[in-house]
Amino acid sequence: MKFVAITACPTGIAHTYMAAESLEQTAKANGDEIVVETQGSAGSEPLSAEDIASADAVIFAADLAVQGRDRFAGKPLVEAPVKAAINDAAGLFERAKAAAREPVAPAVAPELTSKVGANDKAGTKVRQWLMTGVSYLIPFVAAGGLLIALGFALGGYKISDAPPVTEHFDAGSVAGWAALMFQIGSAAFKFLVPVLAGFIAFAMADRPAIAPGFVGGAIAVTVGAGFLGGLVAGLLAGGVVLWLKKIRVPKAMRGIMPVVVYPLLGSIVVGVLMYVVVGKPMAAATSGLTNWLNSLSGASALLLGALLGLMMAFDMGGPVNKAAYTFAVGGLTTGATGSLQIMAAVMAAGMVPPLALALASAVRTKLFTEAERENGRAAWLLGASFITEGAIPFAAADPFRVIPSIMLGSAVTGSLSMAFGATLRAPHGGIFVLPLIGSPLLFLVALLAGTAVAAGSVIALKQVRFRAAERSAAVSGQPVNA
């Protein structure tokens, strides 16, 4: 049979391409054909009309809205989280083949450009809305954060006091370029909250909700409600526009509703709510969070670092991991010293899983398969680049030994990083932004300690299984298969 598929994860970095590879390999093993469009950061060739027309069924392995969904109208369709394609591609193909044998209902244009289904539970819907907002936020975070960090690296932390480059720019000095990088990055960072709010609203109610979402996010910044205010503004904007869509209007007016009426009325309602009702409480909550982060010390900082480490390793790029990362990035917008420590702890903890498994597979090769050893060689670079998803192949093959081990190592790293007071203004980059890290040597100590703990735990747990396999092989006379 012939299939087409789309894979997409919130960050578009690792899960997207791992899922595509898993689908392609499984199709080859089954004797089927598949063409995959990866809607990730590196992009891919869009599926051709001929491929879609000739496909027996369509597979969506995605954790956020699929772009160009209307291309597949009338085709048998199977939807699943992106991890399902990585961990159980064969099961997805079975579902797709079953769908291809069923009669297809007449095509109906989807009301929402979102992965959220009408029958999904409320918690699932909210998670998908938030993940869509985060997925559009990350490019602004990466560009703005790294430019700000570069500005500090070139000009020191007083570069934030430099005059606007529109008034004075010295192209012949390092300080001039440092100020320019910092101010470009700061401009990008000002979009964080509006983008988050706008695309949460977009995930809920499609394009008519983008303008109310952006307006609500901008007001959240104006009133000091920050990241928390942006989350609320996005949910408000999406909810308001969804409610407006339910109002029946004369046929003659339907054409202007999504272009003029929904954005206009949505912006008015959300603006009033944000200025008059929601803004002050959210600003108070943001101020309280900032004060709490600045006051973190001793046991509370260690516990927070451990918790964030556990979250970063638990699902290796999934929703729990993204929740911890989003919390850290949201703190960057407050400028609190504690926020910079949290960002350092989160990045260090996220680097541990792939590095630990790369180390373990290199030190005790007999405990790992040839495929795992090959993945281990790639995991060195993935871990060094802060791509936690590099640990997924190991966790998928042996979850009950790998996941607890990497969680322990990441918790150790998170706690130590907080205890050492390492800071980080760049939201990504891994080892390659080491010059931009406050207390870089202590940051490395925390990273190496957690990596060693996780690798040691994996080896110890796998060794128990290996010895049991050896004893069984000795009794049966068969070769060891750990």
Side-chain angles (χ1 to χ4, degrees):
M1 298 181 72
K2 184 172 181 179
F3 303 92
V4 291
I6 288 182
T7 60
C9 68
T11 56
I13 296 175
H15 283 80
T16 298
Y17 303 100
M18 294 168 70
E21 183 179 1
S22 178
L23 289 171
E24 289 166 350
Q25 291 178 349
T26 304
K28 185 177 180 180
N30 292 345
D32 297 318
E33 294 181 41
I34 191 168
V35 182
V36 183
E37 177 182 322
T38 52
Q39 295 186 355
S41 57
S44 74
E45 286 293 323
L47 293 167
S48 68
E50 292 77 13
D51 286 331
I52 295 173
S54 62
D56 296 298
V58 180
I59 298 173
F60 286 171
D63 287 335
L64 70 164
V66 170
Q67 300 170 20
R69 188 186 180 104
D70 55 338
R71 294 174 289 167
F72 307 96
K75 283 288 181 181
L77 174 65
V78 170
E79 296 190 71
V82 70
K83 279 193 175 180
I86 299 172
N87 299 331
D88 186 25
L92 272 184
F93 278 104
E94 289 301 318
R95 289 174 54 193
K97 290 177 180 180
R101 291 190 288 266
E102 296 292 328
V104 180
V108 178
E111 181 182 356
L112 305 182
T113 324
S114 169
K115 187 176 179 292
V116 179
N119 297 322
D120 286 346
K121 295 180 180 179
T124 301
K125 289 183 178 181
V126 172
R127 182 175 72 85
Q128 295 294 351
W129 294 335
L130 298 179
M131 285 296 100
T132 299
V134 170
S135 71
Y136 284 98
L137 172 73
I138 285 175
F140 290 86
V141 170
L146 290 172
L147 284 168
I148 289 172
L150 181 60
F152 282 126
L154 293 175
Y157 288 107
K158 291 186 177 180
I159 200 65
S160 57
D161 299 327
V165 292
T166 52
E167 298 176 3
H168 175 73
F169 173 58
D170 182 3
S173 71
V174 173
W177 286 100
L180 181 59
M181 295 299 104
F182 176 83
Q183 290 173 32
I184 294 172
S186 297
F189 245 48
K190 289 177 182 177
F191 286 99
L192 295 191
V193 175
V195 165
L196 177 69
F199 284 100
I200 289 174
F202 166 73
M204 294 176 67
D206 212 346
R207 287 183 179 84
I210 291 180
F214 268 78
V215 169
I219 295 172
V221 175
T222 301
V223 301
F227 217 72
L228 295 177
L231 292 173
V232 173
L235 295 171
L236 280 175
V240 167
V241 174
L242 282 177
W243 175 74
L244 290 171
K245 283 184 172 184
K246 294 180 180 179
I247 300 174
R248 293 187 177 184
V249 297
K251 189 174 182 180
M253 291 185 61
R254 290 177 189 171
I256 66 167
M257 296 300 287
V259 179
V260 177
V261 179
Y262 295 151
L264 172 62
L265 295 181
S267 298
I268 292 172
V269 173
V270 173
V272 169
L273 290 174
M274 289 301 297
Y275 269 126
V276 179
V277 180
V278 178
K280 288 185 179 179
M282 287 295 100
T286 299
S287 178
L289 174 63
T290 302
N291 293 334
W292 174 65
L293 292 175
N294 278 324
S295 67
L296 282 175
S297 62
S300 60
L302 295 178
L303 289 173
L304 179 61
L307 175 61
L308 292 171
L310 292 171
M311 293 174 70
M312 290 300 293
F314 174 69
D315 56 0
M316 295 153 283
V320 176
N321 171 287
K322 289 297 179 291
Y325 179 72
T326 304
F327 172 69
V329 170
L332 286 182
T333 63
T334 69
T337 301
S339 301
L340 306 183
Q341 294 175 354
I342 288 172
M343 190 70 249
V346 162
M347 191 169 81
M351 294 167 66
V352 165
L355 290 176
L357 290 161
L359 177 61
S361 62
V363 171
R364 296 301 304 273
T365 56
K366 69 178 182 179
L367 299 178
F368 297 86
T369 66
E370 179 59 36
E372 286 177 325
R373 292 195 290 272
E374 185 67 29
N375 286 326
R377 287 188 280 273
W380 286 112
L381 179 59
L382 294 174
S385 304
F386 182 38
I387 299 176
T388 315
E389 290 90 338
I392 289 176
F394 299 90
D398 193 4
F400 296 110
R401 293 173 179 82
V402 169
I403 294 177
S405 300
I406 60 177
M407 288 177 68
L408 176 61
S410 290
V412 168
T413 290
S415 288
L416 288 177
S417 180
M418 292 293 289
F420 294 153
T423 59
L424 177 63
R425 291 180 180 270
H428 216 292
I431 205 71
F432 302 104
V433 295
L434 190 63
L436 311 179
I437 296 173
S439 303
L441 294 180
L442 293 175
F443 177 89
L444 286 177
V445 169
L447 176 61
L448 293 174
T451 299
V453 168
S457 299
V458 168
I459 289 171
L461 291 175
K462 283 184 173 287
Q463 186 68 42
V464 171
R465 184 182 65 169
F466 186 78
R467 287 176 178 170
E470 281 185 323
R471 289 194 293 269
S472 176
V475 172
S476 63
Q478 298 294 322
V480 175
N481 182 12

